[in-house]
Amino acid sequence: MEQPTVCVIVPVYKAEATLPRCVQSVLTQQVAGGLRLILVDDGSPDNCGALCDAYARQDPRVTVIHQEDRGVSGARNSGLSAACGAYVVFLDSDDALRPGALQAALDAQAADPEALVLWNYTTEEQDPAPVTGAVHTAEQSELARLYLDCLIAMPWNKLYRWEYARLLKFDESYTLGEDLQFVLDYIALLGRKCPEFHYAVLESALTFYDCSRTGTLSTRYHEDYCEIWPRHFEKLNAACAAAACPGQDMMPLHRAELRVLAEGVADILRRDPAQPGGLRRDKARGALANPWLRELLRTMTSERCYSPYLLPCRWNSLRLIWALAESARTASPLFGKLDWAGYYLLLGRYARD
């Protein structure tokens, strides 16, 4: 088979309802040099495997891999092993590429060969905004800001050079946040191969992200949530330090990280499968004792970086953490009251934003 310009890798699992939309969105792309679609049936118990085979019979650009259930990371790794050509794009089976997406990304890459091309996404399936080639450039030192702008953590909004991506793997031992690990590994590798690289951010949304899905990471409970995210954030902060991200970007990043950990502590109290009461509280206290979290609190104190969770976490107050997280989750006005109470307890000497 002739080498395509771009390979699109789609992990497939329990996606009968959305797979046709996903596949159609890829195969209708007009790409100079051609494309290849790799569907990885990850042991899906429904009819997805047969659907994938039907697409392969209908279109020679489709390759199907059937494997036992290894999870989304294992499926992406299998897709990477089978990929070829100049570039790789990841896509989830319940999402879709917008018309003209791939060529817009390739045009941006051709115009700026040293760049890592990435793009925004939309949650509107019929988003009326046109796909354009408008791009803005971001330097390596803007990594923290790009993360805060929801452009770094996911793998499916980037154009990867196949020659580099094939050297990496998604870590199959993680059940949460493994996407961020892969992206940071790719950025580090790109920095070694092309020290002067920067980011080319397409201003158009090229991917439709289906946020109506159920059973996502945002809704499922993860027992090791408060163990995993400190590892991810430690790696993210190290990458930001290596990129010389400025303090004005690191402070909001630290606030975001503290919120994630504090909300994870509250989630232990809310729905950990341990018996309600003492066991949940013990696990939550253990999460607050995480060395990375204690170091984050010291860093935020030295930065005079305010977060409503700063004092409750410093005090190990499960009651206050719970009250803040629950009021934020339910949009209760109590959150604002607790937020300002903490700020005034610090005499207004910390930066709020």
Side-chain angles (χ1 to χ4, degrees):
M1 181 185 293
E2 186 177 342
Q3 297 291 296
T5 299
V6 60
C7 276
V8 181
I9 298 171
V10 179
V12 179
Y13 186 80
K14 290 186 178 180
E16 278 186 90
T18 58
L19 187 60
R21 176 182 66 194
C22 174
V23 170
Q24 170 99 1
S25 78
V26 176
L27 296 181
T28 54
Q29 298 285 316
Q30 300 297 315
V31 175
L35 64 84
R36 184 181 179 197
L37 172 60
I38 301 177
L39 300 174
V40 185
D41 168 29
D42 192 43
S44 188
D46 55 12
N47 197 42
C48 280
L51 276 175
C52 291
D53 289 337
Y55 289 125
R57 289 193 296 270
Q58 295 164 11
D59 195 314
R61 296 174 297 170
V62 178
T63 297
V64 179
I65 298 171
H66 297 285
Q67 64 182 35
E68 294 299 318
D69 183 3
R70 287 170 49 193
V72 65
S73 290
R76 288 179 178 142
N77 286 337
S78 295
L80 268 177
S81 296
C84 58
Y87 299 101
V88 169
V89 169
F90 295 102
L91 184 65
D92 287 348
S93 56
D94 45 3
D95 298 337
L97 291 173
R98 298 189 64 216
L102 291 181
Q103 193 58 55
L106 291 168
D107 288 345
Q109 186 73 80
D112 194 351
E114 295 297 313
L116 169 56
V117 175
L118 52 161
W119 54 86
N120 291 285
Y121 64 90
T122 179
T123 57
E124 294 182 54
E125 185 174 357
Q126 303 300 327
D127 194 325
V131 170
T132 72
V135 174
H136 71 265
T137 299
E139 300 306 321
Q140 292 185 41
S141 59
E142 296 179 67
L143 176 60
R145 175 51 50 193
L146 292 171
Y147 176 84
L148 291 167
D149 289 343
C150 296
L151 287 164
I152 294 297
M154 64 283 287
W156 40 256
N157 68 330
K158 298 167 183 71
L159 189 65
Y160 300 91
R161 303 181 195 191
W162 174 76
E163 63 176 321
Y164 299 157
R166 68 187 180 88
L167 303 176
L168 303 174
K169 295 289 185 185
F170 287 85
D171 190 334
E172 297 180 38
S173 67
Y174 282 109
T175 59
L176 182 68
E178 67 282 354
D179 297 348
L180 176 60
Q181 291 274 344
F182 180 85
V183 173
L184 292 176
D185 286 342
Y186 183 82
I187 289 171
L189 177 59
L190 190 58
R192 293 192 296 273
K193 300 288 188 179
C194 308
E196 302 304 317
F197 92 90
H198 48 272
Y199 302 94
V201 183
L202 279 150
E203 296 176 5
S204 291
L206 302 191
T207 302
F208 162 63
Y209 173 70
D210 188 355
C211 60
S212 68
R213 64 185 88 179
T214 59
T216 64
L217 297 179
S218 60
T219 58
R220 296 203 311 267
Y221 179 73
H222 290 262
E223 293 187 39
D224 51 359
Y225 180 99
C226 288
E227 299 171 17
I228 290 176
W229 274 111
R231 298 178 212 157
H232 294 331
F233 287 148
E234 184 173 25
K235 189 167 186 172
L236 174 61
N237 290 348
C240 290
C245 295
Q248 64 262 31
D249 289 346
M250 293 305 297
M251 288 174 66
L253 177 61
H254 291 156
R255 289 190 193 97
E257 292 171 343
L258 181 59
R259 185 185 71 247
V260 167
L261 267 294
E263 290 177 350
V265 169
D267 211 28
I268 292 172
L269 298 172
R270 182 185 305 117
R271 52 179 180 164
D272 190 86
Q275 291 297 317
L279 293 178
R280 285 183 176 179
R281 287 193 294 272
D282 288 346
K283 184 172 179 178
R285 290 191 188 99
L288 287 175
N290 183 285
W292 181 87
L293 176 58
R294 305 321 296 182
E295 182 60 30
L296 175 65
L297 294 171
R298 285 190 287 271
T299 298
M300 293 179 69
T301 299
S302 67
E303 292 173 331
R304 292 190 175 272
C305 174
Y306 178 72
S307 161
Y309 294 104
L310 179 64
L311 289 177
C313 288
R314 268 175 33 184
W315 295 338
N316 296 314
S317 174
L318 297 180
R319 185 183 297 274
L320 281 174
I321 292 168
W322 167 265
L324 279 162
E326 279 297 293
S327 58
R329 187 174 69 89
T330 59
S332 165
L334 177 62
F335 182 87
K337 295 177 181 177
L338 292 172
D339 177 7
W340 283 102
Y343 180 68
Y344 287 125
L345 277 173
L346 292 167
L347 305 178
R349 294 175 180 171
Y350 280 51
R352 289 185 60 86
D353 50 36

